[in-house]
Every structure is written in structure tokens, then in C-alpha cells.
Amino acid sequence: QLDSPKVPTAPSNPLNRSRTVKLAAVGGAGAVLALVLLLTLWADTVQNTEGLRRKVDARQFGVIFHESKNKTLRTKLRRTNKGLLVTMPVASFRFTETMYKLGVKLGYAAKNNGYQVILITSVAENEGKSTVAANLALTLAQQGKRVLLIDADMHKAAQYKLLGYNPRVELADVLSGKAEYRPEYLEKHGLYVLLSKQGSRQAAEQIAAERMGTLLEQARAEMDFVIIDSPPIALFSDVEYLADRADASLLVVRQDCVPAPRINDAADLLRGCRSELLGCILNDVRTTPFFSESRRHGYGYGYGYGYGYG
């Protein structure tokens, strides 16, 4: 007998728990990442400009790449900036250049076809249509044009927050006959506005009423351009009435947000109205450094703003 027998109190080949936990964490993270990538690839949403051309039956009017409106930790925690405008110091050069080029492109299209009233809409909420509408109005105003920005989204108004201005007269009051049509001039932005704040439960009825048509005819006589920020087209019927009274429309499509069939349905609806669908603006596009849209297409920038319907 060389060794005395004894009762074992621990395994002869113990597992390395720390190593096992690390391997499991890495494997789990890899599996989740692979699942997310597969779901992204299988999702029938618009991921890039190529997907927009291939899946959406409307031409591309422009591309805006993602840019955070609060760029420091302090501003992010305090949520200092509620939106991103070309007139703000935090707006990058590439973002302002992108918006200016979209404004110039819209101005040329309007001049060549006699457009005055431009409708900006999206399929769903939180796609950034309000910020696009505000920035297009600002860029046109900076070209020396008389521009009126109308916040016709009386379900969830956003322009008064973006512009930092509490309107004295709201669109709902004008449409209900409680106030006269008198746009307010914002000297800071060089822009005329007719905003909403409180909202209205009879928004659809007021938009469809004759007063709205009369209001737009007055605006046509006084302004060079009228930019209308409308509600999401998939949620409210107001957009159809507005699209029948506008000259042209733009559909804002946020990256990986809405399935392509719903975008096509919205485009078909807009084409069925009196206004001409100028195309889609692919918004809030996020890319990897090595497969950047801006590398392939020259330039582009965007923002990460949108509002939701609580």
C-alpha cells in the first residue's frame, strides 16, 4: 500500500469558473450580435440609399446622416437642445451644408414647376419630419425668400419647441374663427410662422374645412413659399386634405424605422392627391466607419431628433 485511502473533498480537475464566465459572456454577446444582424438583414425596412432605390417606389430627394444634437455629456444629461437647426452653433458644417443643398434643390424644383406650398410628412411618428420642415423653411428664408412655416400637426405640435417660441395666435384658433390670419414674424430666424401648441380634438375637421383652403390662398398671395409640417400619414387623415391643397410633397423616411410596403402605400396615397410627390428624404442614417454612405456618395449628414406621440 503506497497511499492511504481518504475521502475526497474537492474534484481532482476543478473548473476555472472565471474563464468559463468570460467565455460564456463573449459567446452570448456574439450570439446576440449575430441575431441582431440577421434580424436587421431580414427586416423589410430601408437600411441605406440602395435599399431606398430598390424597395421604395419613389425617387430619392436627399439623404441626411445621423448627428447628435447634444454632443457633450453635460448637454446630453441636461437635454439642453430640443432639436437641431441650421442656425444653432452646435450644428456641424456638413449638416448645415446638407440642409442648404436640400433647400436649394427644393427651390429649383419649385421655381421650375411653379410650386409655392410644400407639404412635409412621414409614414409614422419619430421620423424627423418636423426638423426637416423647420430646416428647409430656414434655408429658403436665408435665400432671401418670404417663407411661412405652418405647423399643421395639431395632434402633437413640435415646431414651437424647435424654434423656441410660444405663439400668440395658434393655427387652431384661426381655423375655428377665434382669431384672424396673421402670421408672426420671427426676426431671429427671418421666418414667418403660424404655429400650434395646445392642439385640437377637431384637428381633422378643421384641416378639411374651407377656412384652411382660404388661409393657404392668402398665404400664396403674400409669401414666396409655404412649408407645411403635417401629421404622420399613417396615423391621421389630415394629410390627405393638406396634400390636396399643397403643390408638392416630400416624404421623410427614417432609416430602419418603417417597413417598405408601408412607405410605398404612403407614396401611393400622396401620388393620388393633387400635389406632386417630389420624393423621399432618407433621414437619420447611421453607418459603420468602413461602409459609410458618405464615403460612397461624397457627403451627407443628419441628426437624431424626432418626437413621439405619447
Side-chain angles (χ1 to χ4, degrees), residues 34-141:
L35 180 61
V36 170
L37 289 174
L38 286 174
L39 291 175
T40 302
L41 292 174
W42 287 340
D44 198 18
T45 55
V46 176
Q47 304 291 335
N48 48 39
T49 55
E50 180 61 32
L52 183 66
R53 295 190 188 98
R54 182 165 43 87
K55 296 181 179 181
V56 177
D57 187 21
R59 74 185 187 92
Q60 176 187 304
F61 191 83
V63 180
I64 306 175
F65 284 75
H66 174 80
E67 178 181 309
S68 176
K69 57 184 177 289
N70 291 307
K71 299 183 178 181
T72 65
L73 180 61
R74 182 178 181 181
T75 55
K76 286 180 180 179
L77 292 175
R78 295 187 176 184
R79 296 183 180 180
T80 304
N81 299 316
K82 302 299 182 183
L84 187 62
L85 303 176
V86 293
T87 54
M88 296 172 63
V90 297
S92 71
F93 174 76
R94 290 199 293 177
F95 170 74
T96 56
E97 279 299 298
T98 299
M99 295 309 307
Y100 285 136
K101 288 181 179 182
L102 287 176
V104 170
K105 187 175 182 179
L106 179 60
Y108 277 126
K111 181 179 179 180
N112 293 334
N113 297 279
Y115 301 145
Q116 275 187 279
V117 181
I118 313 296
L119 177 74
I120 312 296
T121 189
S122 62
V123 179
E125 70 269 21
N126 202 29
E127 293 197 73
K129 64 174 181 58
S130 295
T131 304
V132 172
N135 280 292
L136 286 177
L138 289 170
T139 56
L140 290 171

Side-chain angles (χ1 to χ4, degrees), residues 214-227:
T214 304
L215 184 154
L216 290 178
E217 289 304 315
Q218 289 180 273
R220 286 177 188 273
E222 299 174 2
M223 303 291 169
D224 296 317
F225 290 100
V226 179
I227 304 296

